[in-house]
Amino acid sequence: MKTGGNKASEDRMKMIAVAGFVVVAVAILYFEYFSGGAPAAPATVATAPAVAAPASGPATPAAADRGHVAKTVGTTSAGLDPTLHMDAMLVSESITYAGSGRNIFSMNSAPPPVVIQKPVAPPRPVAQVVVPCPPNCPPPPPPPPPPPIPLKFFGIETSASGAKQAFLLHEDAVYTASAGDVVMRRYRVIAIEPKSIQVEDMQNNNRQTLPLLTN
């Protein structure tokens, strides 16, 4: 009786071991096919070779935390249709612009005319107020005289043909000018006489006579 009891106990332990093995195998298969696929292969990185750790040392954290490679389902390019559908393009070309504004796709389309509103009433004229002069009021002052021409006539030269040139001085600059010449882009020599010359200030439209300087 004791031998039969030991055999039954061994059979029961074998059954429990087989059942445990089956449960573990099923769990591994479920994890492999439904929870991320096969273990990830180590990526190849072109780096300098690292120094190998001793065989008896503990495992590195990088090796312990290595994940799994995701499954490749497929690409979306297989669902794209590269065919060019001309019917849809012809429909878009046949559309005629019928808006009320300017057609920005046409060079011959002019902008709409601008309507300028007319004023409701004409502008009010500004009345000029004339202040009458009281009795015995003084006349208005005359306009200021034109500025004097800053040229000095200090000499004259007569050529063999009788042409005359005047020597004019302005500060440190000396000019020779005949009748009709313009000095300093502003003063025109009108006439040259033995004792004086007549010069016109073209900016102020004024003529002045410059006497000959004597020592």
Side-chain angles (χ1 to χ4, degrees):
M1 295 296 293
K2 186 175 180 181
T3 302
N6 293 335
K7 185 175 182 180
S9 177
E10 289 179 359
D11 293 339
R12 188 179 301 108
M13 293 298 294
K14 290 180 180 180
M15 292 295 292
I16 293 173
V18 171
F21 177 78
V22 171
V23 170
V24 172
V26 170
I28 292 175
L29 291 176
Y30 178 84
F31 179 80
E32 291 292 328
Y33 290 96
F34 296 97
S35 299
T44 302
V45 181
T47 57
V51 179
S56 59
T60 60
D65 297 340
R66 185 176 299 160
H68 300 278
V69 178
K71 292 182 179 180
T72 302
V73 178
T75 59
T76 58
S77 59
L80 298 178
D81 185 7
T83 305
L84 183 62
H85 298 280
M86 298 299 297
D87 297 338
M89 298 181 63
L90 294 176
V91 170
S92 62
E93 291 180 358
S94 62
I95 298 176
T96 304
Y97 180 81
S100 58
R102 182 179 181 183
N103 186 4
I104 61 175
F105 300 101
S106 176
M107 297 180 61
N108 300 325
S109 177
V114 179
V115 179
I116 301 177
Q117 300 292 337
K118 294 183 179 181
V120 178
R124 181 179 300 175
V126 179
Q128 295 182 357
V129 180
V130 179
V131 179
C133 182
N136 301 326
C137 65
I149 297 177
L151 295 176
K152 296 179 180 180
F153 173 44
F154 68 93
I156 188 172
E157 180 184 8
T158 304
S159 64
S161 61
K164 298 179 181 180
Q165 280 190 333
F167 290 90
L168 302 175
L169 178 66
H170 178 260
E171 295 180 354
D172 295 335
V174 178
Y175 302 93
T176 58
S178 302
D181 293 346
V182 178
V183 181
M184 299 172 59
R185 300 182 180 181
R186 177 174 176 177
Y187 306 105
R188 186 193 304 276
V189 177
I190 303 300
I192 301 176
E193 301 296 336
K195 298 296 182 179
S196 64
I197 62 172
Q198 190 175 10
V199 182
E200 179 186 6
D201 186 354
M202 297 185 296
Q203 182 174 348
N204 295 318
N205 195 18
N206 175 50
R207 292 186 180 185
Q208 298 180 17
T209 301
L210 304 180
L212 177 65
L213 295 180
T214 58
N215 293 333

